[in-house]
């Protein structure tokens, strides 16, 4: 059995994380993409248990209190978190697990699992990011504005990550991610968190 490892993929909303992950998983079906819980409403076409587990704020709070989340954060007015058990079980079985999470969650993982490889996806420019976010057509104007404001702060933190990948040409960005994954030593252990996520605001 190979050694399990945790992979964190972070980047501003609309940069193309989902698109890159779909391509990566197609090429490497052995990778497991963690399914997060969120308090946000499903977008058209999103299925419970496949894209996210859609939960109420009360259930989310309960999961925090019971230590069921490996990390969690608030993003643009909703809460998002990684269910702990499926991730820990898979890594113990020697599997490679990917978390597609925002900056605060990635910072928590840095503390609890310092051996995780953390990748930050950058847009070619802020203009292009806005163009992609609008082009996706999934958010209201207000949600787009919140996501763009948050994007600037996230991009400033890109240096905190092990690897930075600019998603300009999709095929080249995918190649960079594959090099980062398959040419870096694996995770040795998962540690207990030292501090919980920030409180729900
Ligand atoms: P995220 O998951 O980071 O929020 P998405 O994967 O939903 O972003 O991508 C946002 C939009 O940008 C989508 O419409 C997608 O088709 C488009 N997109 C993704 N990568 C590229 C790229 N390299 N060049 C042009 N458009 C892209
Ligand atoms: P969206 O609403 O566009 O699906 O996701 C918004 C943001 O939440 C994205 O940056 C995404 O990476 C992040 N996100 C999704 N799931 C999780 C999670 O479990 N934990 C954290 N911290 N962020 C998440």
């Amino acid at each position: 059995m190979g050694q399990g490892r945790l992979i964190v993929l972070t980047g501003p909303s609309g940069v193309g994380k989902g698109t890159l992950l779909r391509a990566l998983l197609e090429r490497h079906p052995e990778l497991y993409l963690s399914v997060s819980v969120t308090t946000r409403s499903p977008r058209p076409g999103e299925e419970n248990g496949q894209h996210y587990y859609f939960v109420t704020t009360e259930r989310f709070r309960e999961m925090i209190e019971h230590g069921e989340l490996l990390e969690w954060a608030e993003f643009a007015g909703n809460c998002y978190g990684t269910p702990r058990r499926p991730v820990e079980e898979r890594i113990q079985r020697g599997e490679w697990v990917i978390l597609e999470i925002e900056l605060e969650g990635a910072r928590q993982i840095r503390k609890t699992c310092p051996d995780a490889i953390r990748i930050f996806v950058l847009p070619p420019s802020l203009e292009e990011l806005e163009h992609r976010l609008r082009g996706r057509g999934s958010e209201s104007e207000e949600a787009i504005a919140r996501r763009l404001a948050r994007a600037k702060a996230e991009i400033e933190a890109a240096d905190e990550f092990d690897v930075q990948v600019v998603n300009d040409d999709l095929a080249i960005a995918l190649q960079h991610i594959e090099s980062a994954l398959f040419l870096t030593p694996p995770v040795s252990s998962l540690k207990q968190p030292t501090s919980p996520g920030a409180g729900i605001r």
Side-chain angles (χ1 to χ4, degrees):
M1 187 174 77
Q3 230 181 342
R5 76 186 321 190
L6 190 58
I7 299 149
V8 173
L9 192 79
T10 301
S13 182
V15 74
K17 301 181 296 298
T19 309
L20 283 164
L21 281 173
R22 274 193 297 279
L24 186 69
L25 291 169
E26 230 167 75
R27 287 163 63 99
H28 306 277
E30 73 280 9
L31 299 174
Y32 171 73
L33 178 62
S34 162
V35 180
S36 298
V37 285
T38 181
T39 60
R40 99 157 151 65
S41 309
R43 291 178 187 140
E46 282 186 335
E47 299 218 7
N48 192 42
Q50 190 186 337
H51 298 91
Y52 281 106
Y53 295 104
F54 297 98
V55 299
T56 60
T57 305
E58 290 67 37
R59 174 67 189 129
F60 197 92
R61 277 181 196 281
E62 200 178 88
M63 291 184 86
I64 295 170
E65 281 161 18
H66 294 175
E68 292 175 47
L69 299 179
L70 191 59
E71 62 71 37
W72 70 274
E74 197 208 335
F75 182 92
N78 293 297
C79 292
Y80 297 80
T82 303
R84 176 191 299 280
R85 256 183 61 191
V87 172
E88 291 185 342
E89 284 175 359
R90 282 189 158 80
I91 288 180
Q92 271 155 23
R93 287 207 297 263
E95 293 182 34
W96 289 24
V97 177
I98 307 180
L99 310 184
E100 192 253 276
I101 60 177
E102 53 67 70
L103 178 63
E104 293 308 323
R107 284 176 169 156
Q108 290 167 44
I109 294 293
R110 186 186 200 175
K111 288 187 191 149
T112 56
C113 185
D115 293 333
I117 174 158
R118 299 179 320 132
I119 302 172
F120 194 93
V121 184
L122 287 157
S125 67
L126 278 175
E127 291 71 28
E128 173 63 14
L129 180 68
E130 181 166 357
H131 178 70
R132 288 184 191 171
L133 208 45
R134 284 186 196 287
R136 192 169 65 186
S138 58
E139 257 78 33
S140 65
E141 269 307 306
E142 193 213 341
I144 290 174
R146 291 175 89 158
R147 281 162 188 258
L148 283 174
R150 176 90 170 220
K152 289 177 191 150
E154 291 204 321
I155 289 167
E156 280 171 17
D159 283 354
E160 293 176 24
F161 287 71
D162 302 310
V163 182
Q164 293 79 26
V165 173
V166 178
N167 182 21
D168 189 354
D169 181 296
L170 192 77
I172 293 175
L174 184 62
Q175 226 172 47
H176 285 168
I177 291 175
E178 285 180 317
S179 312
L181 293 186
F182 301 113
L183 300 175
T184 328
V187 67
S188 55
S189 65
L190 261 183
K191 295 184 185 145
Q192 290 302 307
T194 48
S195 59
I200 299 179
R201 287 173 288 273

